[in-house]
Amino acid sequence: MRFLHTSDWHLGRSLHRENLLPAQRAFLRHLVRTAEAERVDAVLVAGDVYDRAVPSLGAVELFDEALHALAAVGVPVVLISGNHDSAQRLGVGAGLVARAGVHLRTSPEAGALAAPVVLEDAHGAVAVYGLPYLEPALVRQRLGAEEASHTAVLSAAMDAVRADLAARRADGGRVRAVVLAHAFVIGGEACDSERDIAVGGVPSVPASVFEGVDYAALGHLHGCQTINERVRYSGSPLAYSFSEADHRKSMWLVELGPAGEVSAERIDCPVPRRLARLRGELEELLTASAHAAVEDCWLHVTLTDTARPAQAMERLRARFPHTLQLAFEPQGREDDGLRSYGARVRGRDDGAVALGFVRHVRGADASEAESTLLASAVEAAARAAGGEI
């Protein structure tokens, strides 16, 4: 059996206010074309379809468009909800859309978790189980987990899966099994884009939780990763933060053999625009020919000028029109080594604190005229407060 493993679409998400819906539409059309060209038996989506519990209308319309396109080429879809999705909203109409080959798995009930989508190929049945994101505090009792932890609730869910699978194999038939899950599995590498799921205790779970199935299609982490031969993350199809600038965005094309053998090939996703980082003084960035290669990239720029340049973003965008994020880390800034703001200002009068703030923000001392104005303002404030501020 052949299937495409993808996840973390985050429909509706932006990149520092840059609208990504056109890029997400391009990816979904690529997904449909690939599914048709590779003659896959199913598309598996391991959660985070949307970026938020109440998605935008444009995101919902795009999701609807993708499901219609997959149904039109006759490719079944098995899809779970992630921690960004509203499981209840995403699961509306699940019974109805299943008739079109779109199988939504969003319920945390043990009975639903152990009710697979059964697909057939020339070698027999493949049971595809969907484990949506399971918030430990909310589902512990329903699953009979020993404690409110990610490991405990996923273990309980997989116990239900293994029990159902054992019953299906009781007559000696070889039923292969695939599970979709949305979780942070030990060995995976996180980035800045994923929403923290540590509220339910230690967020990571061991890969051994998924023992007993032939393949675990994971979602949540945005980098494409192989935990082991049978446990993989597809990663997100687009970069959603500059921490993903070096990611190769892709899907897994997985071949599941007649005895459960697994082989997987990465299928690259379209790149709407490369992400890059620049660092240096403003004038050098604006004039150096070495930076010509990133003029059309989405950019994160860190300026190292000793003083903050005026109109820095406007000047950068004259050469790099897709600059999205600007940081300022001046060279040679003094660091007194003190950890807290309170420690840095302790024992200093208000005028000294104000002058220190100017130096901290600007990277240079206030001018004589500015120092005089600040002193006058501090004195006026003290008088207004009756001598104390």
Side-chain angles (χ1 to χ4, degrees):
M1 177 165 287
R2 309 186 85 196
F3 55 84
L4 281 174
H5 165 198
T6 177
S7 71
D8 297 275
W9 295 352
H10 290 287
L11 300 182
R13 190 166 187 168
S14 63
L15 177 67
H16 297 285
R17 299 193 179 94
E18 185 76 14
N19 179 15
L20 292 181
L21 278 176
Q24 291 170 336
R25 175 172 282 106
F27 157 69
L28 290 172
R29 289 175 176 172
H30 168 71
L31 170 68
V32 175
R33 288 194 299 267
T34 303
E36 187 174 21
E38 296 291 344
R39 299 188 178 185
V40 301
D41 298 288
V43 170
L44 310 183
V45 187
D48 281 352
V49 172
Y50 294 121
D51 190 51
R52 53 180 61 95
V54 183
S56 67
L57 179 59
V60 175
E61 290 175 339
L62 184 52
F63 180 51
D64 181 68
E65 178 184 318
L67 294 186
H68 275 83
L70 287 167
V73 296
V75 178
V77 181
V78 184
L79 185 152
I80 62 173
S81 51
N83 62 303
H84 280 247
D85 300 309
S86 166
Q88 292 83 358
R89 288 186 174 90
L90 188 61
V92 168
L96 184 62
V97 298
R99 299 180 183 180
V102 178
H103 305 278
L104 303 174
R105 292 295 186 265
T106 62
S107 171
E109 302 295 337
L113 301 178
V117 178
V118 179
L119 304 174
E120 299 277 348
D121 68 3
H123 306 291
V126 177
V128 181
Y129 298 88
L131 309 185
Y133 172 67
L134 301 171
E135 178 57 49
L138 299 179
V139 305
R140 175 194 175 186
Q141 291 185 339
R142 281 187 272 186
L143 296 180
E146 294 181 357
E147 60 182 10
S149 71
H150 288 276
T151 297
V153 297
L154 262 177
S155 295
M158 282 301 300
D159 286 343
V161 167
R162 282 186 284 263
D164 178 81
L165 189 57
R168 295 175 184 274
R169 292 173 172 172
D171 62 358
R174 180 64 172 100
V175 178
R176 291 160 291 166
V178 173
V179 65
L180 286 74
H182 196 86
F184 190 165
V185 173
I186 292 172
E189 183 177 347
C191 61
D192 294 342
S193 301
E194 300 102 5
R195 182 179 295 166
D196 185 17
I197 59 173
V199 67
V202 177
S204 56
V205 300
S208 59
V209 164
F210 301 105
E211 287 180 358
V213 298
D214 298 299
Y215 185 82
L218 300 182
H220 180 58
L221 299 184
H222 287 193
C224 182
Q225 302 171 58
T226 300
I227 306 301
N228 61 51
E229 180 189 14
R230 299 183 182 276
V231 180
R232 299 172 189 262
Y233 283 98
S234 67
S236 62
L238 298 171
Y240 290 115
S241 77
F242 282 93
S243 64
E244 301 176 50
D246 296 327
H247 286 191
R248 173 189 165 194
K249 295 301 184 180
S250 57
M251 305 176 284
W252 287 112
L253 176 62
V254 180
E255 188 88 34
L256 191 62
E261 314 95 313
V262 172
S263 62
E265 174 190 352
R266 289 181 71 175
I267 303 294
D268 289 329
C269 297
V271 179
R273 192 182 302 280
R274 289 193 303 119
L275 272 66
R277 299 174 185 263
L278 281 181
R279 182 183 182 89
E281 295 185 355
L282 179 60
E283 290 304 323
E284 188 274 335
L285 297 181
L286 293 178
T287 57
S289 59
H291 306 309
V294 298
E295 287 180 349
D296 196 44
C297 293
W298 280 321
L299 286 182
H300 176 290
V301 178
T302 301
L303 295 181
T304 60
D305 301 73
T306 55
R308 188 184 296 269
Q311 298 181 314
M313 182 62 91
E314 291 82 353
R315 294 170 67 189
L316 280 167
R317 284 180 172 168
R319 180 179 185 184
F320 308 105
H322 305 290
T323 302
L324 300 183
Q325 200 170 18
L326 178 62
F328 183 59
E329 296 179 8
Q331 297 176 4
R333 172 173 287 177
E334 294 181 3
D335 184 358
D336 59 13
L338 298 176
R339 296 183 177 180
S340 71
Y341 178 78
R344 289 199 300 273
V345 302
R346 187 175 297 123
R348 302 170 68 185
D349 62 34
D350 300 315
V353 170
L355 290 171
F357 177 76
V358 170
R359 178 172 179 77
H360 174 75
V361 171
R362 181 188 290 169
D365 291 327
S367 67
E368 183 176 349
E370 291 169 334
S371 299
T372 301
L373 284 173
L374 280 172
S376 299
V378 169
E379 182 180 350
R383 287 198 302 269
E388 297 183 2
I389 57 172

